[in-house]
Amino acid sequence: MNEVVQPPKPSDEREEDTVAFHVEAGIAWVKFNRPNKRNAMSPKLNRQMMRVLNELEFREDVGVLVLSGEGSAWSAGMDLKEYFRETEAKGLAGTRGAQRESYGWWRRLRWYQKPTIAMVNGWCFGGGYGPLFACDLAFAAEEAKFGLSEINWGILPGGGATKVATELLSFRKAMYHALMGENIDGKTAADWGLVNEALPLAKLEARVTEVANVLLAKNPVALKATKDAVRRVGIMTYDEAEDYLIRAQEAANSFDNEGRKEGIKQFIDDKTYKPGLGAYDKSKSAKA
């Protein structure tokens, strides 16, 4: 008699509970909220992340978004049961749908209107490299663990993880990282270039807050234009990049020419700041 295989049961976890956030002093603190699953990304979490990003992107009280994880992990990558087994049971349509949902909010985050910071408080594995790269800046706890473990269970690092490794690491380090399936700590991740800095977990939030406050003091139009430029010019020739940056500056000026004029005025006329040492006071408006 053949054994009847039951289809996997979907999780009864509420979709709206998979992501938590609050806004304080201009900073949106967003957290993956599946600590019992080491914040592994599921279809429910992916859908909720898109909703949260939509809600926060143009809020006037949000100037910077920080992405972190609840509990001891940032994200352990994709939930093997819910993201793979349960969606694959629905056939190609289920698989493609889950891929669109995850890749969709990572893409949204890469080109987000506000500066974004990954605050890696713990485990960051596999699919977690997608949102890690999507954030403009990244800071990690020295105690955090990073890894491309896919090779250990028989697949390649998908979901853009291989591309992230080759973008951020040297060829030899990217190859070693992908082939060996070994973990590295936050300090090594900083040395290799996966994150900007690593520091003790107890000091991580304070450092990220400090960086966020520096960003909050700067011109938001210039921040958006700059973060887009850094992502785009890397694949351009020098001449292409030169032309793109001229057009990007002209476009930025059309959105906020008064801000640029005020910055120049405060430096040349008022002598109230030095661009090499800090930002102009954006609370003041340029006089016509």
Side-chain angles (χ1 to χ4, degrees):
M1 182 176 179
N2 293 332
E3 180 183 359
V4 177
V5 178
Q6 297 295 330
K9 295 180 180 179
S11 168
D12 58 1
E13 180 179 54
R14 295 199 316 166
E15 197 159 303
E16 60 266 35
D17 293 336
T18 59
V19 180
F21 74 89
H22 72 279
V23 177
E24 184 178 352
I27 305 171
W29 298 91
V30 180
K31 285 188 174 183
F32 301 122
N33 192 34
R34 306 183 74 217
N36 59 320
K37 297 283 189 178
R38 291 197 174 93
N39 297 322
M41 290 175 284
S42 65
K44 289 181 179 180
L45 181 146
N46 291 330
R47 289 190 291 268
Q48 187 62 16
M49 273 299 312
M50 184 65 90
R51 294 189 191 99
V52 170
L53 292 179
N54 287 342
E55 178 174 342
L56 296 173
E57 187 165 19
F58 294 100
R59 273 180 52 165
E60 292 185 0
D61 61 338
V62 173
V64 176
L65 184 146
V66 175
L67 181 59
S68 189
E70 187 62 52
S72 62
W74 195 71
S75 176
M78 293 303 189
D79 187 311
L80 299 188
K81 178 175 179 289
E82 293 185 38
Y83 185 84
F84 289 102
R85 181 172 288 177
E86 290 179 5
T87 57
E88 287 171 2
K90 300 174 185 177
L92 185 60
T95 298
R96 290 291 182 261
Q99 290 168 342
R100 283 193 296 270
E101 289 167 348
S102 58
Y103 301 167
W105 77 261
W106 300 350
R107 187 178 302 113
R108 182 69 174 275
L109 191 60
R110 283 200 303 275
W111 304 105
Y112 209 58
Q113 186 69 25
K114 312 292 174 62
T116 57
I117 304 173
M119 186 172 76
V120 185
N121 54 302
W123 285 36
C124 179
F125 280 73
Y129 281 37
L132 175 69
F133 181 66
C135 289
D136 303 317
L137 301 174
F139 296 80
E142 292 175 349
E143 300 92 327
K145 298 296 181 186
F146 294 76
L148 295 180
S149 58
E150 286 85 345
I151 195 71
N152 293 333
W153 48 283
I155 69 168
L156 62 85
T162 303
K163 175 61 173 173
V164 173
T166 58
E167 282 285 321
L168 299 181
L169 308 178
S170 69
F171 172 81
R172 292 298 179 198
K173 284 186 170 62
M175 192 67 81
Y176 186 94
H177 198 46
L179 292 180
M180 296 297 287
E182 296 176 354
N183 300 339
I184 60 174
D185 61 17
K187 188 175 184 303
T188 303
D191 291 342
W192 284 12
L194 278 173
V195 298
N196 294 96
E197 296 177 24
L199 54 162
L201 178 61
K203 298 181 179 180
L204 180 61
E205 185 172 329
R207 175 59 175 146
V208 168
T209 303
E210 178 185 25
V211 171
N213 284 329
V214 171
L215 294 172
L216 286 171
K218 299 185 188 302
N219 183 298
V221 173
L223 284 172
K224 172 59 173 168
T226 300
K227 55 182 271 178
D228 287 358
V230 171
R231 288 194 183 274
R232 293 194 184 280
V233 299
I235 60 171
M236 297 179 184
T237 65
Y238 188 93
D239 287 344
E240 290 168 343
E242 186 179 73
D243 185 65
Y244 167 82
L245 293 169
I246 290 171
R247 308 304 169 219
Q249 182 62 65
E250 291 171 349
N253 290 349
S254 71
F255 281 109
D256 184 34
N257 201 30
E258 295 307 305
R260 180 179 67 93
K261 289 179 180 178
E262 179 63 26
I264 294 173
K265 174 181 175 292
Q266 289 181 25
F267 173 57
I268 296 176
D269 302 326
D270 303 341
K271 303 187 186 307
T272 54
Y273 85 110
K274 296 180 179 179
L277 300 178
Y280 79 95
D281 184 354
K282 65 183 177 69
S283 67
K284 298 179 179 180
S285 299
K287 303 296 189 297

